[in-house]
Amino acid sequence: RLFTLIVTFVCISSATFAISLGELQNSPQFWRERHSSSVDVYLDLNSIQSTLYNPPIYTLKFKVYTVDKKDKYIGEGDVIADYDYNKSIEGIIKRNNLSKVPYTSEKVKSTVKKAKLKDSGVVNSLKFSAIYDFNGNVIYSGDSIEAFKKEKVDATSSGYVISVKAFKKYYNVKF
């Protein structure tokens, strides 16, 4: 009986951490970023944690779910995102002596765009910890798989959009 009880408890416990496509699509806990026509990335808004607050450097940890519609799986990953506030819009304007120029001016827009494309100020790492089918059944759960380690994030990428969403939810900063 004790063995059966333990096995049942372990199965119930591991099932509570699984995620289905329906949960991602229908819960306000998850925010979607369309990566492409075949891949969506969801940010778990409840998972965002500050791991370093040392202005101008901020670091967050949060969970993302990558939904591959073509191969029909969900990858669960942990992101560590660093943000250098010196690379923010305010930092760029200050560095370029544009603080008296309206934000909406073409000069400010052009300067900010060029600076952000050169260096967005965001550096991410990503480790996948589990893979599920669309019903939430575990396909893989074991040692984390490192997707990438401390890479600069392009300001036009989904990684940037997801990181900005996380930082804006946690801090009152302008990117």
Side-chain angles (χ1 to χ4, degrees):
R1 285 185 189 189
L2 183 59
F3 176 73
T4 305
L5 186 62
I6 291 171
V7 169
T8 303
F9 178 77
V10 169
C11 289
I12 290 170
S13 296
S14 61
T16 58
F17 295 106
I19 191 85
S20 71
L21 181 59
E23 289 173 274
L24 291 171
Q25 291 175 331
N26 297 309
S27 173
Q29 173 182 342
F30 302 104
W31 179 80
R32 183 183 79 168
E33 163 62 10
R34 182 171 298 279
H35 178 70
S36 68
S37 61
S38 62
V39 176
D40 289 336
V41 181
Y42 289 82
L43 167 62
D44 180 347
L45 297 169
N46 294 343
S47 71
I48 303 168
Q49 305 169 7
S50 175
T51 60
L52 176 67
Y53 177 79
N54 188 18
I57 304 298
Y58 302 85
T59 301
L60 294 180
K61 179 179 180 180
F62 50 88
K63 196 166 288 298
V64 294
Y65 295 91
T66 301
V67 176
D68 188 312
K69 297 176 221 169
K70 181 182 172 204
D71 293 328
K72 298 188 183 336
Y73 71 84
I74 301 168
E76 177 182 285
D78 293 308
V79 175
I80 304 292
D82 301 322
Y83 179 55
D84 181 351
Y85 195 72
N86 288 327
K87 308 287 172 71
S88 69
I89 292 171
E90 290 175 351
I92 294 166
I93 288 171
K94 186 176 179 181
R95 241 187 349 272
N96 289 282
N97 298 317
L98 296 171
S99 56
K100 292 187 174 152
V101 179
Y103 271 34
T104 55
S105 76
E106 216 34 62
K107 185 172 185 177
V108 169
K109 287 180 185 178
S110 172
T111 303
V112 168
K113 183 177 180 180
K114 285 178 190 172
K116 282 293 192 182
L117 289 174
K118 185 176 178 185
D119 186 349
S120 71
V122 177
V123 175
N124 284 355
S125 64
L126 171 64
K127 289 184 180 182
F128 284 101
S129 55
I131 299 173
Y132 309 103
D133 67 17
F134 284 175
N135 294 318
N137 299 311
V138 177
I139 296 172
Y140 173 81
S141 179
D143 292 337
S144 292
I145 302 165
E146 191 167 64
F148 52 88
K149 186 177 188 173
K150 295 286 182 184
E151 291 183 9
K152 282 186 176 183
V153 178
D154 183 297
T156 62
S157 71
S158 289
Y160 179 78
V161 173
I162 293 275
S163 296
V164 166
K165 179 72 172 178
F167 277 102
K168 285 183 175 181
K169 174 137 175 64
Y170 202 87
Y171 295 113
N172 185 23
V173 294
K174 292 184 180 174
F175 275 74

